[in-house]
Amino acid sequence: MNILTENYLVKNLRAYPLLRKKFMSYIKGLNQFPEGFTKNKLFHDYLKVRRHNPEKRVSQSEYMIFGFCNLSEKEQKKYLTDVEATRLMRPYNSESEPYLKSKETFLKNFTRFIHRGWLYVPDASYEEFCEFVHKYHTVALKPQYSSWGIGFLRLTEEELRENENPREFYEKMCSGKYLAEEFVESCDELAVFHPSSLNTLRVITFRCGERFEVFGCGLRVGNNGLHVDNAHGGGIFCEMDPANGEIITDGLDECSNSYVTHPMTGVKFKGTKIPHWKEIVELCREASRELPCLRVVGWDVAILSDGRLELIEGNHNPGMNIVQAPAKHGVHDKFASMLLDYYGEPEQYKKALQP
Protein backbone atom coordinates (compact mmCIF):
# COMPACT_ATOMS: atom_id res chain seq x y z
CA MET A 1 0.00 0.00 0.00
CA ASN A 2 1.56 3.32 -1.04
CA ILE A 3 1.27 6.60 0.76
CA LEU A 4 -1.35 7.97 -1.65
CA THR A 5 -3.59 5.00 -0.95
CA GLU A 6 -2.99 5.31 2.77
CA ASN A 7 -3.85 9.00 2.72
CA TYR A 8 -7.00 8.26 0.72
CA LEU A 9 -8.09 5.63 3.23
CA VAL A 10 -7.28 7.84 6.21
CA LYS A 11 -9.21 10.71 4.67
CA ASN A 12 -12.27 8.54 4.14
CA LEU A 13 -12.07 7.02 7.61
CA ARG A 14 -11.93 10.48 9.17
CA ALA A 15 -14.88 11.65 7.06
CA TYR A 16 -17.00 8.59 7.91
CA PRO A 17 -18.58 9.86 11.20
CA LEU A 18 -19.53 13.24 9.71
CA LEU A 19 -20.87 11.67 6.52
CA ARG A 20 -22.94 9.21 8.53
CA LYS A 21 -24.31 11.99 10.73
CA LYS A 22 -25.31 14.06 7.70
CA PHE A 23 -26.90 11.08 5.97
CA MET A 24 -28.93 10.10 9.03
CA SER A 25 -30.12 13.67 9.39
CA TYR A 26 -31.04 13.81 5.71
CA ILE A 27 -33.12 10.62 5.67
CA LYS A 28 -35.29 11.93 8.51
CA GLY A 29 -37.19 13.59 5.69
CA LEU A 30 -38.10 10.25 4.09
CA ASN A 31 -41.77 9.33 4.33
CA GLN A 32 -41.04 5.71 3.43
CA PHE A 33 -37.83 3.69 3.09
CA PRO A 34 -37.19 1.77 -0.13
CA GLU A 35 -38.37 -1.81 0.17
CA GLY A 36 -35.84 -4.04 1.94
CA PHE A 37 -33.76 -1.14 3.29
CA THR A 38 -33.11 0.10 6.81
CA LYS A 39 -31.28 3.30 7.79
CA ASN A 40 -27.96 1.49 8.14
CA LYS A 41 -28.39 -0.53 4.97
CA LEU A 42 -29.18 2.65 3.00
CA PHE A 43 -26.12 4.43 4.38
CA HIS A 44 -23.74 1.59 3.55
CA ASP A 45 -25.24 1.23 0.08
CA TYR A 46 -24.72 4.98 -0.40
CA LEU A 47 -21.04 4.53 0.53
CA LYS A 48 -20.80 1.69 -1.99
CA VAL A 49 -22.32 3.87 -4.72
CA ARG A 50 -19.82 6.64 -3.97
CA ARG A 51 -16.96 4.15 -4.02
CA HIS A 52 -18.01 2.66 -7.36
CA ASN A 53 -18.72 6.04 -8.97
CA PRO A 54 -15.90 8.32 -7.74
CA GLU A 55 -16.19 10.57 -10.81
CA LYS A 56 -19.83 11.31 -10.04
CA ARG A 57 -19.41 12.59 -6.45
CA VAL A 58 -22.97 11.43 -5.77
CA SER A 59 -24.69 13.57 -3.13
CA GLN A 60 -27.07 12.13 -0.56
CA SER A 61 -29.99 13.76 -2.33
CA GLU A 62 -28.93 12.47 -5.75
CA TYR A 63 -28.53 8.95 -4.35
CA MET A 64 -32.14 9.01 -3.13
CA ILE A 65 -33.96 10.94 -5.86
CA PHE A 66 -32.32 8.91 -8.65
CA GLY A 67 -33.19 5.67 -6.84
CA PHE A 68 -29.59 4.43 -6.92
CA CYS A 69 -30.28 1.84 -4.20
CA ASN A 70 -32.26 -0.20 -6.76
CA LEU A 71 -30.00 0.34 -9.78
CA SER A 72 -27.06 -1.60 -11.18
CA GLU A 73 -23.73 0.17 -11.62
CA LYS A 74 -24.40 0.32 -15.37
CA GLU A 75 -27.74 2.03 -14.79
CA GLN A 76 -26.22 4.45 -12.28
CA LYS A 77 -23.74 5.61 -14.93
CA LYS A 78 -26.65 6.88 -17.04
CA TYR A 79 -27.40 9.66 -14.54
CA LEU A 80 -25.72 13.06 -14.54
CA THR A 81 -24.79 14.44 -11.13
CA ASP A 82 -24.30 18.14 -10.42
CA VAL A 83 -20.53 17.66 -10.20
CA GLU A 84 -20.40 15.90 -13.58
CA ALA A 85 -22.69 18.44 -15.22
CA THR A 86 -20.54 21.33 -14.01
CA ARG A 87 -17.38 19.60 -15.23
CA LEU A 88 -18.89 18.98 -18.68
CA MET A 89 -20.25 22.53 -19.06
CA ARG A 90 -17.27 24.45 -17.68
CA PRO A 91 -15.24 24.66 -20.94
CA TYR A 92 -18.24 26.13 -22.78
CA ASN A 93 -19.91 28.21 -20.06
CA SER A 94 -17.05 29.90 -18.19
CA GLU A 95 -17.50 33.17 -20.12
CA SER A 96 -21.14 33.47 -19.09
CA GLU A 97 -20.53 32.97 -15.36
CA PRO A 98 -19.91 36.66 -14.49
CA TYR A 99 -23.16 37.68 -16.20
CA LEU A 100 -25.38 35.02 -14.62
CA LYS A 101 -23.88 34.25 -11.22
CA SER A 102 -24.24 37.82 -9.97
CA LYS A 103 -27.93 38.60 -9.51
CA GLU A 104 -27.31 42.35 -9.85
CA THR A 105 -25.37 41.91 -13.10
CA PHE A 106 -28.07 39.60 -14.43
CA LEU A 107 -30.81 42.14 -13.73
CA LYS A 108 -28.81 44.89 -15.45
CA ASN A 109 -28.20 42.81 -18.58
CA PHE A 110 -31.70 41.38 -19.06
CA THR A 111 -33.81 44.45 -18.35
CA ARG A 112 -36.21 43.93 -21.26
CA PHE A 113 -37.32 40.58 -19.79
CA ILE A 114 -37.78 41.93 -16.25
CA HIS A 115 -40.77 43.92 -15.02
CA ARG A 116 -40.35 43.74 -11.24
CA GLY A 117 -38.72 46.57 -9.35
CA TRP A 118 -35.35 45.88 -7.75
CA LEU A 119 -32.66 47.57 -5.68
CA TYR A 120 -29.11 46.54 -4.82
CA VAL A 121 -29.15 47.42 -1.12
CA PRO A 122 -25.40 48.24 -0.65
CA ASP A 123 -25.75 50.93 -3.35
CA ALA A 124 -28.78 52.50 -1.67
CA SER A 125 -29.07 54.77 1.34
CA TYR A 126 -31.15 53.76 4.33
CA GLU A 127 -33.84 56.21 3.19
CA GLU A 128 -33.86 54.77 -0.35
CA PHE A 129 -34.21 51.26 1.04
CA CYS A 130 -37.18 52.31 3.18
CA GLU A 131 -38.78 54.09 0.21
CA PHE A 132 -38.39 50.95 -1.90
CA VAL A 133 -40.13 48.79 0.72
CA HIS A 134 -42.86 51.41 1.08
CA LYS A 135 -43.41 51.53 -2.69
CA TYR A 136 -43.91 47.77 -3.11
CA HIS A 137 -45.27 46.97 0.40
CA THR A 138 -43.76 43.45 0.22
CA VAL A 139 -40.24 42.68 -1.04
CA ALA A 140 -38.05 39.65 -1.55
CA LEU A 141 -34.51 39.88 -0.17
CA LYS A 142 -31.81 37.67 -1.72
CA PRO A 143 -28.04 37.55 -1.19
CA GLN A 144 -26.22 38.64 -4.34
CA TYR A 145 -24.53 35.30 -4.99
CA SER A 146 -26.86 32.86 -3.25
CA SER A 147 -28.47 29.79 -4.78
CA TRP A 148 -30.93 27.08 -3.67
CA GLY A 149 -33.02 29.75 -1.93
CA ILE A 150 -30.37 30.12 0.80
CA GLY A 151 -30.69 33.40 2.68
CA PHE A 152 -34.05 34.30 1.11
CA LEU A 153 -36.21 36.66 3.17
CA ARG A 154 -39.70 38.06 2.62
CA LEU A 155 -40.18 41.49 4.18
CA THR A 156 -43.35 43.56 4.45
CA GLU A 157 -43.56 47.29 5.04
CA GLU A 158 -45.25 46.62 8.37
CA GLU A 159 -42.47 44.24 9.48
CA LEU A 160 -39.82 46.85 8.71
CA ARG A 161 -41.77 49.54 10.53
CA GLU A 162 -42.18 47.32 13.61
CA ASN A 163 -38.54 46.25 13.62
CA GLU A 164 -36.83 47.39 16.85
CA ASN A 165 -33.81 48.60 14.91
CA PRO A 166 -34.62 48.97 11.19
CA ARG A 167 -31.35 50.74 10.45
CA GLU A 168 -29.42 47.80 11.87
CA PHE A 169 -31.48 45.49 9.65
CA TYR A 170 -30.62 47.66 6.65
CA GLU A 171 -26.92 47.52 7.53
CA LYS A 172 -27.15 43.74 7.79
CA MET A 173 -28.61 43.64 4.28
CA CYS A 174 -25.74 45.83 3.07
CA SER A 175 -23.04 43.68 4.64
CA GLY A 176 -24.71 40.55 3.25
CA LYS A 177 -24.80 42.13 -0.24
CA TYR A 178 -28.53 41.65 -0.56
CA LEU A 179 -30.81 42.51 -3.44
CA ALA A 180 -34.32 43.77 -2.72
CA GLU A 181 -36.93 42.86 -5.32
CA GLU A 182 -40.62 43.56 -5.65
CA PHE A 183 -42.38 40.45 -4.31
CA VAL A 184 -44.34 39.13 -7.28
CA GLU A 185 -47.02 36.43 -7.36
CA SER A 186 -47.79 33.57 -9.71
CA CYS A 187 -50.68 33.42 -12.13
CA ASP A 188 -53.73 31.48 -10.91
CA GLU A 189 -52.78 28.36 -12.89
CA LEU A 190 -49.46 28.05 -11.01
CA ALA A 191 -50.45 29.64 -7.69
CA VAL A 192 -53.10 26.93 -7.26
CA PHE A 193 -50.35 24.41 -6.41
CA HIS A 194 -48.96 26.46 -3.50
CA PRO A 195 -50.14 30.08 -3.16
CA SER A 196 -47.44 31.21 -0.68
CA SER A 197 -44.54 30.86 -3.13
CA LEU A 198 -43.65 32.19 -6.56
CA ASN A 199 -43.79 28.92 -8.50
CA THR A 200 -41.39 28.93 -11.43
CA LEU A 201 -40.44 27.01 -14.54
CA ARG A 202 -36.89 25.80 -15.10
CA VAL A 203 -36.09 25.73 -18.82
CA ILE A 204 -32.66 24.36 -19.83
CA THR A 205 -31.59 25.57 -23.27
CA PHE A 206 -28.73 25.12 -25.73
CA ARG A 207 -27.76 27.89 -28.18
CA CYS A 208 -25.06 28.11 -30.83
CA GLY A 209 -25.54 31.05 -33.18
CA GLU A 210 -29.13 30.85 -34.39
CA ARG A 211 -29.39 27.20 -33.44
CA PHE A 212 -31.54 26.80 -30.33
CA GLU A 213 -33.13 23.93 -28.45
CA VAL A 214 -34.88 23.26 -25.15
CA PHE A 215 -32.99 20.35 -23.60
CA GLY A 216 -35.48 19.83 -20.78
CA CYS A 217 -37.82 21.66 -18.43
CA GLY A 218 -39.81 21.32 -15.25
CA LEU A 219 -42.06 23.04 -12.75
CA ARG A 220 -40.95 23.96 -9.23
CA VAL A 221 -43.46 24.77 -6.51
CA GLY A 222 -43.17 25.59 -2.84
CA ASN A 223 -44.39 23.53 0.12
CA ASN A 224 -45.16 23.86 3.83
CA GLY A 225 -46.25 27.49 3.45
CA LEU A 226 -42.70 28.64 2.66
CA HIS A 227 -42.01 31.42 0.14
CA VAL A 228 -39.36 29.61 -1.92
CA ASP A 229 -39.98 26.96 -4.58
CA ASN A 230 -36.46 25.52 -4.66
CA ALA A 231 -36.17 21.81 -3.80
CA HIS A 232 -33.31 22.56 -1.39
CA GLY A 233 -35.73 24.85 0.45
CA GLY A 234 -38.37 22.14 0.80
CA GLY A 235 -40.08 22.58 -2.58
CA ILE A 236 -41.46 20.00 -4.99
CA PHE A 237 -40.46 19.58 -8.64
CA CYS A 238 -41.76 17.66 -11.65
CA GLU A 239 -40.72 17.22 -15.26
CA MET A 240 -42.47 18.73 -18.26
CA ASP A 241 -42.64 17.85 -21.95
CA PRO A 242 -40.58 20.48 -23.86
CA ALA A 243 -42.84 20.04 -26.89
CA ASN A 244 -46.05 21.26 -25.27
CA GLY A 245 -45.38 22.29 -21.66
CA GLU A 246 -47.41 19.47 -20.12
CA ILE A 247 -46.33 18.04 -16.75
CA ILE A 248 -45.43 14.41 -17.43
CA THR A 249 -44.51 13.14 -13.93
CA ASP A 250 -45.70 13.20 -10.36
CA GLY A 251 -44.03 15.64 -7.98
CA LEU A 252 -40.83 14.82 -6.09
CA ASP A 253 -38.99 16.50 -3.23
CA GLU A 254 -35.30 16.48 -2.30
CA CYS A 255 -35.80 13.52 0.06
CA SER A 256 -37.28 11.41 -2.76
CA ASN A 257 -40.85 11.59 -1.48
CA SER A 258 -43.25 11.32 -4.42
CA TYR A 259 -46.54 13.23 -4.70
CA VAL A 260 -49.39 12.55 -7.10
CA THR A 261 -51.00 15.72 -5.75
CA HIS A 262 -49.57 18.62 -3.77
CA PRO A 263 -49.65 17.62 -0.06
CA MET A 264 -51.12 20.97 1.03
CA THR A 265 -53.53 21.87 -1.76
CA GLY A 266 -54.38 18.50 -3.29
CA VAL A 267 -53.74 19.77 -6.83
CA LYS A 268 -52.63 17.03 -9.23
CA PHE A 269 -49.29 17.45 -11.00
CA LYS A 270 -49.23 15.02 -13.92
CA GLY A 271 -51.29 16.05 -16.93
CA THR A 272 -51.42 19.78 -16.11
CA LYS A 273 -50.55 22.00 -19.07
CA ILE A 274 -48.57 25.14 -18.37
CA PRO A 275 -50.17 28.21 -20.01
CA HIS A 276 -48.31 30.37 -22.55
CA TRP A 277 -45.77 27.62 -23.21
CA LYS A 278 -44.85 28.72 -26.75
CA GLU A 279 -44.30 32.26 -25.47
CA ILE A 280 -42.13 30.96 -22.62
CA VAL A 281 -39.90 29.06 -25.05
CA GLU A 282 -39.66 32.15 -27.25
CA LEU A 283 -38.72 34.29 -24.24
CA CYS A 284 -35.87 31.86 -23.44
CA ARG A 285 -34.78 31.91 -27.08
CA GLU A 286 -34.63 35.71 -27.06
CA ALA A 287 -32.89 35.84 -23.68
CA SER A 288 -30.24 33.38 -24.92
CA ARG A 289 -29.43 35.84 -27.74
CA GLU A 290 -28.92 38.74 -25.35
CA LEU A 291 -25.21 37.99 -24.83
CA PRO A 292 -22.94 36.14 -27.29
CA CYS A 293 -21.38 34.07 -24.47
CA LEU A 294 -24.65 32.34 -23.52
CA ARG A 295 -24.61 28.67 -24.46
CA VAL A 296 -26.14 26.23 -21.97
CA VAL A 297 -28.42 28.10 -19.56
CA GLY A 298 -31.04 27.08 -17.03
CA TRP A 299 -33.64 29.85 -17.15
CA ASP A 300 -36.08 30.41 -14.29
CA VAL A 301 -39.31 31.89 -15.64
CA ALA A 302 -42.45 32.98 -13.80
CA ILE A 303 -45.93 33.71 -15.11
CA LEU A 304 -47.12 36.67 -13.06
CA SER A 305 -50.61 37.23 -11.67
CA ASP A 306 -51.37 39.65 -14.53
CA GLY A 307 -50.28 37.08 -17.14
CA ARG A 308 -46.94 38.66 -17.99
CA LEU A 309 -43.85 36.47 -18.32
CA GLU A 310 -41.01 37.34 -15.96
CA LEU A 311 -37.40 36.20 -16.21
CA ILE A 312 -36.27 35.50 -12.66
CA GLU A 313 -32.68 34.43 -13.30
CA GLY A 314 -30.34 32.43 -15.51
CA ASN A 315 -28.01 29.68 -14.29
CA HIS A 316 -24.68 29.11 -16.02
CA ASN A 317 -24.29 25.58 -14.57
CA PRO A 318 -27.86 24.31 -14.25
CA GLY A 319 -28.38 21.04 -12.41
CA MET A 320 -30.13 18.25 -14.29
CA ASN A 321 -32.11 16.74 -11.41
CA ILE A 322 -35.40 18.17 -12.59
CA VAL A 323 -35.11 16.38 -15.95
CA GLN A 324 -33.94 13.07 -14.47
CA ALA A 325 -35.28 12.32 -11.01
CA PRO A 326 -39.08 12.63 -11.36
CA ALA A 327 -39.23 10.32 -14.40
CA LYS A 328 -36.22 8.21 -13.30
CA HIS A 329 -34.34 8.45 -16.59
CA GLY A 330 -30.68 9.48 -16.77
CA VAL A 331 -29.53 12.08 -19.30
CA HIS A 332 -25.74 11.72 -19.02
CA ASP A 333 -25.15 10.42 -22.54
CA LYS A 334 -27.77 12.66 -24.14
CA PHE A 335 -26.33 15.77 -22.49
CA ALA A 336 -22.70 14.93 -23.30
CA SER A 337 -23.68 14.15 -26.90
CA MET A 338 -25.51 17.47 -27.31
CA LEU A 339 -22.52 19.41 -25.98
CA LEU A 340 -20.31 17.80 -28.63
CA ASP A 341 -22.93 18.29 -31.33
CA TYR A 342 -23.43 21.97 -30.55
CA TYR A 343 -19.89 23.03 -29.62
CA GLY A 344 -17.41 20.27 -30.47
CA GLU A 345 -14.62 18.95 -28.29
CA PRO A 346 -13.59 21.34 -25.46
CA GLU A 347 -10.08 21.91 -26.86
CA GLN A 348 -11.41 22.58 -30.36
CA TYR A 349 -13.98 24.92 -28.90
CA LYS A 350 -11.36 26.95 -27.03
CA LYS A 351 -9.30 27.31 -30.21
CA ALA A 352 -12.38 28.46 -32.15
CA LEU A 353 -12.87 31.28 -29.62
CA GLN A 354 -9.32 32.58 -29.98
CA PRO A 355 -8.92 35.63 -32.28
Side-chain angles (χ1 to χ4, degrees):
M1 185 180 293
N2 62 39
I3 189 150
L4 291 177
T5 307
E6 287 176 354
N7 286 343
Y8 177 79
L9 290 173
V10 168
K11 183 178 178 181
N12 279 273
L13 285 170
R14 287 177 176 170
Y16 179 91
L18 179 60
L19 192 62
R20 179 182 172 80
K21 183 179 180 181
K22 288 178 64 178
F23 188 85
M24 292 303 171
S25 176
Y26 164 76
I27 60 175
K28 287 179 181 179
L30 279 177
N31 292 338
Q32 184 177 352
F33 284 95
E35 187 175 352
F37 282 86
T38 62
K39 290 181 180 180
N40 286 331
K41 188 174 180 180
L42 266 181
F43 175 63
H44 286 99
D45 187 67
Y46 170 57
L47 293 181
K48 183 180 74 173
V49 168
R50 284 170 57 97
R51 190 165 60 249
H52 291 170
N53 298 281
E55 78 287 356
K56 287 187 173 296
R57 300 279 297 276
V58 180
S59 71
Q60 296 166 2
S61 174
E62 288 166 337
Y63 169 78
M64 291 303 303
I65 63 177
F66 295 159
F68 273 13
C69 60
N70 292 314
L71 298 181
S72 66
E73 287 184 41
K74 183 179 179 180
E75 290 172 320
Q76 291 168 7
K77 300 291 184 186
K78 295 178 181 179
Y79 285 82
L80 187 63
T81 63
D82 283 348
V83 168
E84 286 181 300
T86 298
R87 190 182 299 127
L88 286 171
M89 284 184 277
R90 185 175 290 128
Y92 311 105
N93 274 5
S94 58
E95 289 179 287
S96 67
E97 182 174 352
Y99 300 98
L100 300 180
K101 191 172 183 178
S102 160
K103 288 180 170 58
E104 181 193 15
T105 305
F106 173 82
L107 290 167
K108 287 178 177 178
N109 279 280
F110 293 87
T111 54
R112 67 189 183 100
F113 306 100
I114 295 163
H115 306 98
R116 65 195 185 278
W118 64 275
L119 178 77
Y120 183 49
V121 182
D123 287 347
S125 66
Y126 170 68
E127 290 73 22
E128 288 171 331
F129 174 68
C130 292
E131 287 173 10
F132 183 85
V133 177
H134 173 68
K135 179 179 179 179
Y136 293 110
H137 308 298
T138 305
V139 300
L141 295 164
K142 308 173 183 177
Q144 159 85 307
Y145 292 103
S146 73
S147 57
W148 298 348
I150 295 172
F152 178 93
L153 297 171
R154 179 179 179 272
L155 177 71
T156 66
E157 183 180 9
E158 182 180 5
E159 288 169 339
L160 181 63
R161 187 168 57 247
E162 293 178 353
N163 192 300
E164 291 183 1
N165 195 333
R167 188 176 288 274
E168 184 178 300
F169 178 81
Y170 156 76
E171 291 171 354
K172 183 179 179 181
M173 295 298 99
C174 288
S175 62
K177 298 181 179 179
Y178 268 75
L179 275 161
E181 297 181 5
E182 174 187 0
F183 191 87
V184 291
E185 297 182 344
S186 298
C187 65
D188 291 342
E189 293 90 338
L190 296 187
V192 68
F193 286 101
H194 185 259
S196 301
S197 54
L198 178 67
N199 304 318
T200 61
L201 307 164
R202 167 60 63 88
V203 186
I204 302 169
T205 66
F206 276 65
R207 185 190 68 84
C208 183
E210 290 303 303
R211 190 180 176 194
F212 173 87
E213 186 173 344
V214 176
F215 175 80
C217 50
L219 171 68
R220 308 184 307 179
V221 303
N223 193 16
N224 299 317
L226 300 176
H227 299 298
V228 294
D229 65 353
N230 196 287
H232 295 279
I236 298 171
F237 57 100
C238 43
E239 188 176 350
M240 294 159 46
D241 184 345
N244 58 16
E246 180 177 339
I247 298 175
I248 56 176
T249 69
D250 294 333
L252 192 73
D253 68 18
E254 193 186 27
C255 290
S256 193
N257 300 309
S258 182
Y259 305 93
V260 175
T261 61
H262 194 286
M264 293 190 70
T265 59
V267 178
K268 186 179 179 181
F269 291 105
K270 193 173 181 179
T272 300
K273 284 197 173 183
I274 303 301
H276 312 299
W277 181 244
K278 287 184 179 180
E279 292 86 349
I280 290 167
V281 172
E282 189 56 33
L283 179 145
C284 294
R285 183 196 303 272
E286 286 301 308
S288 71
R289 292 171 172 163
E290 202 70 1
L291 297 169
C293 61
L294 300 178
R295 293 168 188 106
V296 183
V297 181
W299 305 103
D300 291 341
V301 182
I303 309 174
L304 302 186
S305 55
D306 60 5
R308 289 183 299 175
L309 301 183
E310 182 81 353
L311 193 58
I312 302 301
E313 64 181 36
N315 299 272
H316 71 285
N317 280 331
M320 299 295 149
N321 292 354
I322 201 167
V323 296
Q324 298 184 107
K328 297 295 183 286
H329 55 186
V331 300
H332 181 286
D333 291 350
K334 178 184 175 183
F335 188 77
S337 176
M338 279 189 64
L339 283 173
L340 292 175
D341 182 36
Y342 265 71
Y343 312 112
E345 293 283 353
E347 290 305 315
Q348 294 175 343
Y349 180 76
K350 288 179 182 178
K351 289 179 181 179
L353 291 177
Q354 293 174 359

